[in-house]
Amino acid sequence: MYSYSEFDAAFVAERNRQFRAQVERRIAGNLTEDEFKPLRLMNGLYLQLHAYMLRVAIPYGTLNSRQMRQLAHIAETWDKGYGHFTTRQNIQFNWPELRDVPEILDALAEVEMHAIQTSGNTIRNVTADHFAGAAEDEIADPRPVAELLRQWSTDHPEFQFLPRKFKIAVTGSPNDRAVIKAHDIGIQIVEREGEIGYRVLVGGGLGRTPMIGKVLSDFVAQEDLLPYIEATVSVWNLLGRRDNKYKSRIKITVHEHGIDDIRARVQERFEIIRPAFSGIDVALFEDIKAAFAPPVFRQDGTEVFETTYKTDPIFRSWADTNLVAHKAPGYSIVQISLKAHGATPGDATADQMRVMADLAEFYGHDELRISHEQNVILPHVHKSHLPTLHAILKKHGLATANIGLISDIIACPGMDYCALATARSIPIAQQIATRFDELKLEHDIGELKIKISGCINACGHHHVGHIGILGLDRAGVENYQITLGGDHTETAAIGDRTGPGFSADEIIPAVERLVETYLDQRQDRDETFLQFYRRVGMAPFKTALYEQDKAYAAE
C-alpha cells in the first residue's frame, strides 16, 4: 500500500497545526460557530445532532494493522469506545470533544491518516472495489488509480470550492463492487486489444434525484486518464448550478445539457489542458503501482480447511457466506460482518478493531479493507488459517455468517445521530435483522440487499437496494417508503416505489410480507429476490403490501 512521502507528512502536519489554532480560537470565543463551520468542514469535522462528529479518510478502503490499532486507540481515548464504518469506506467518530480533535488528528498523522476532504464542496475520498488486488475476476488492481486521483485532488487549487461535493469510484473488474454507476464519476478498468485503459462514466448519484451514470468515454488511455478527469471536473465546475444546492450535482448538469454536449465540452477542455501534463503524472503512476505489488503468497496445502469444512457445520455456514474466491491458489478473501443480529450496522468496538488488526497481521499479509457495505475485509488469507481465524472471530462476536443476506443491511446513522435525518434508520435495521434471525429464514431467502436511509440524502443507498427503505417525516411521525428492484452492480438500477409508506410499527411486517411473497412464488431456490422481481414486476408485491391491509381493515 502507499506510504507517505516527506511532502505528505509535512503537508498533513501543517494542516493539523493550522486547525489546532482555529479550534483554540473557537473555544476562546474568537470565532463564532458560523465562522468556524467552513474551517472545521475542511478538516472533516461535522456538528451532528448531539455532538461533533469526525470523519476520517480511509483512501480506497485500505488499511494496515498499525492504522486499525490507532483507530481503536482513538475510539477508546477520545470517543465512546467504538467507531462507525461508512458507505464511503471511511470511519466516523461520533462523540469527540472539540478540544480533543487536534490531538486526534495528530494521532492519525502518526499512522499516515487524516480527515482532509472528507467534507465540503470538494473531491471526497476516492473509493474502490474492496476486493482490489485479490479478486479472481480483476483485470488490474484499481487502487493505484484511486491513489493517483487522491494525490491529484487533495488541495487541488481549482477544486476546493466546487458547486457541490464530488465523489469518484474505481473498479478493476467487470463485476462492479464499487457502485461506479451511482457516482459523480465512475471509472472501470478495461482491456482493448491487449491495452489497459478506462471506461469513464459521469452523472450518477443518489439523494433527492437519483440517476444512473452515463458513459462519457468507452476508452481512455492510461496516460490520458488524469487530464481527462481534470477536464471533466473543470467543465462541471464552470457549468454546475450554484444558485440551487438541490440542482448543483453533476448529475443535474449532465441531465440539463445532455451527455453528448458534456462529452464535447470535456473533449474540448481535455485537448486544451493535455499538453500541460508533461508525463510527470505517468511516472508518478508507475511509482504508485510499485507500492501496490501483491504480497508473496504461500504455497501450503488446504487439508485443514477441507476437513473442517466437512465436519463443522458452523464453520461451513460461515465459509459459504463470508468467503470469496481469491486469484491465488489456496487463498480466500474473508469478509468480516459488522452486522451481528441486533447490532448497529457498521459499528466496531475498539477491542474488535484490535482483533481484526491482529488477524490481518498474523494471517492476512497485514492488509484490511473497508467495504461500502460497512463490513471489513481480509483480502489475502490462506485457507489453512481459516479454521483458526474463524474461531477467533467467533470469540469476539465477529463471525456472523450473513454476508449478502437479509440481515447484512446498509444503514445510515439516521435520527439517532444525524442533524439532517427525518427518521431513524438503525432501529429499523436492527429489528429486521432480529426478526429474520428469529424466523431462521435468511439462508433460505438467499441473496437480498436491504438498504435504509433516514432522509432523502440517501446515505444508506436505499435507491439501489433490492429492498430500499427511506425514512421520512410525515406531520411529525416517522414514515417509511419502500422501493423494490434497485441494484448497485454492473446491472445498476434505481428501485421502484411501491406506494404509500408505513409507520415504524408497520415497516417490519411489511418487509416480512415482501419476503413471503418472494418465497411463495419464486421458481426455485436459485432464483434470487432481484431476479424474481425483474421477472414478475411490482404487482404481487403491491398486493402483499396493500391489498392485505385492506382485508384486515374490512374484518
Side-chain angles (χ1 to χ4, degrees), residues 334-349:
V334 177
Q335 301 181 84
I336 301 173
S337 173
L338 298 184
K339 316 284 181 60
H341 300 102
T344 299
D347 277 9
T349 67

Side-chain angles (χ1 to χ4, degrees), residues 21-36:
Q22 292 160 358
V23 168
E24 289 171 355
R25 290 168 64 200
R26 173 70 187 107
I27 291 173
N30 297 324
L31 287 175
T32 66
E33 181 56 41
D34 285 344
E35 291 169 333
F36 183 57

Side-chain angles (χ1 to χ4, degrees), residues 402 404-409 429 432-433 436-437 441-443 445-450 467 511 515:
N402 67 341
L405 303 183
I406 196 169
S407 62
D408 183 17
I409 298 169
I432 292 172
F436 282 93
D437 185 44
L441 279 176
E442 60 181 336
H443 287 270
I445 295 164
E447 183 185 3
L448 205 173
K449 306 280 190 178
I450 294 183
I467 297 177
V511 172
V515 172

Side-chain angles (χ1 to χ4, degrees), residues 249-261:
R249 298 293 292 270
I250 196 172
K251 62 187 176 183
I252 303 298
T253 307
V254 172
H255 178 73
E256 290 181 342
H257 289 263
I259 187 63
D260 293 335
D261 179 71

Side-chain angles (χ1 to χ4, degrees), residues 301-322:
T302 60
E303 295 82 4
V304 173
F305 167 80
E306 290 158 6
T307 300
T308 308
Y309 184 86
K310 290 176 183 176
T311 59
D312 184 342
I314 295 175
F315 176 80
R316 182 166 60 249
S317 175
W318 175 79
D320 287 344
T321 54
N322 292 37

Side-chain angles (χ1 to χ4, degrees), residues 240-497:
R241 300 276 297 272
R242 286 180 164 87
D243 61 322
N244 186 333
K245 68 178 290 187
Y246 302 116
K247 296 184 178 180
S248 59
R249 298 293 292 270
I250 196 172
K251 62 187 176 183
I252 303 298
T253 307
V254 172
H255 178 73
E256 290 181 342
H257 289 263
I259 187 63
D260 293 335
D261 179 71
I262 296 297
R263 186 182 293 115
R265 290 173 185 265
V266 169
Q267 186 62 33
E268 180 182 10
R269 178 65 179 161
F270 169 76
E271 290 171 2
I272 291 170
I273 68 173
R274 181 66 185 91
F277 287 76
S278 60
I280 294 174
D281 56 310
V282 177
L284 174 62
F285 185 50
E286 291 303 314
D287 289 343
I288 289 172
K289 282 199 289 187
F292 291 92
V296 177
F297 294 119
R298 298 176 52 192
Q299 303 295 321
D300 290 347
T302 60
E303 295 82 4
V304 173
F305 167 80
E306 290 158 6
T307 300
T308 308
Y309 184 86
K310 290 176 183 176
T311 59
D312 184 342
I314 295 175
F315 176 80
R316 182 166 60 249
S317 175
W318 175 79
D320 287 344
T321 54
N322 292 37
L323 300 184
V324 176
H326 196 285
K327 65 182 180 182
Y331 274 75
S332 287
I333 300 169
V334 177
Q335 301 181 84
I336 301 173
S337 173
L338 298 184
K339 316 284 181 60
H341 300 102
T344 299
D347 277 9
T349 67
D351 285 342
Q352 289 175 327
M353 289 185 217
R354 289 193 184 95
V355 168
M356 291 186 285
D358 290 346
L359 292 174
E361 184 175 16
F362 296 126
Y363 303 116
H365 297 275
D366 204 26
E367 286 192 40
L368 302 108
R369 309 284 168 72
I370 309 304
S371 76
H372 81 271
E373 294 179 316
Q374 300 175 287
N375 293 313
V376 178
I377 315 299
L378 299 177
H380 313 296
V381 179
H382 194 271
K383 288 184 176 180
S384 62
H385 289 148
L386 289 172
T388 301
L389 184 142
H390 174 255
I392 296 170
L393 289 173
K394 189 164 61 170
K395 181 179 177 181
H396 295 277
L398 290 167
T400 307
N402 67 341
I403 296 292
L405 303 183
I406 196 169
S407 62
D408 183 17
I409 298 169
I410 288 179
C412 73
M415 213 159 59
D416 288 303
Y417 295 97
C418 182
L420 301 177
T422 49
R424 295 167 297 165
S425 300
I426 293 170
I428 302 302
Q430 291 170 324
Q431 291 170 41
I432 292 172
T434 301
R435 177 58 179 156
F436 282 93
D437 185 44
E438 292 169 350
L439 294 172
K440 303 302 177 189
L441 279 176
E442 60 181 336
H443 287 270
D444 187 35
I445 295 164
E447 183 185 3
L448 205 173
K449 306 280 190 178
I450 294 183
K451 306 178 193 291
I452 305 174
S453 299
C455 80
I456 198 67
N457 289 308
C459 294
H461 295 190
H462 69 276
H463 293 295
V464 291
H466 300 165
I467 297 177
I469 300 174
L470 168 62
L472 297 170
D473 182 316
R474 291 281 186 259
V477 177
E478 291 169 301
N479 182 272
Y480 294 88
Q481 290 181 356
I482 294 175
T483 53
L484 298 177
D487 179 12
H488 71 266
T489 71
E490 62 280 359
T491 57
I494 302 298
D496 305 310
R497 185 179 165 187

Side-chain angles (χ1 to χ4, degrees), residues 23 28 71 77-78 149 180 210 231 236 277 282 288 325 358 447 454 460 484 489 501 510 517 529 540 543 545 553:
V23 168
L71 295 178
T77 306
W78 294 293
L149 293 171
I180 63 170
W236 171 65
F277 287 76
V282 177
I288 289 172
D358 290 346
E447 183 185 3
L484 298 177
T489 71
T517 300
F529 184 94
T543 299
L545 287 175

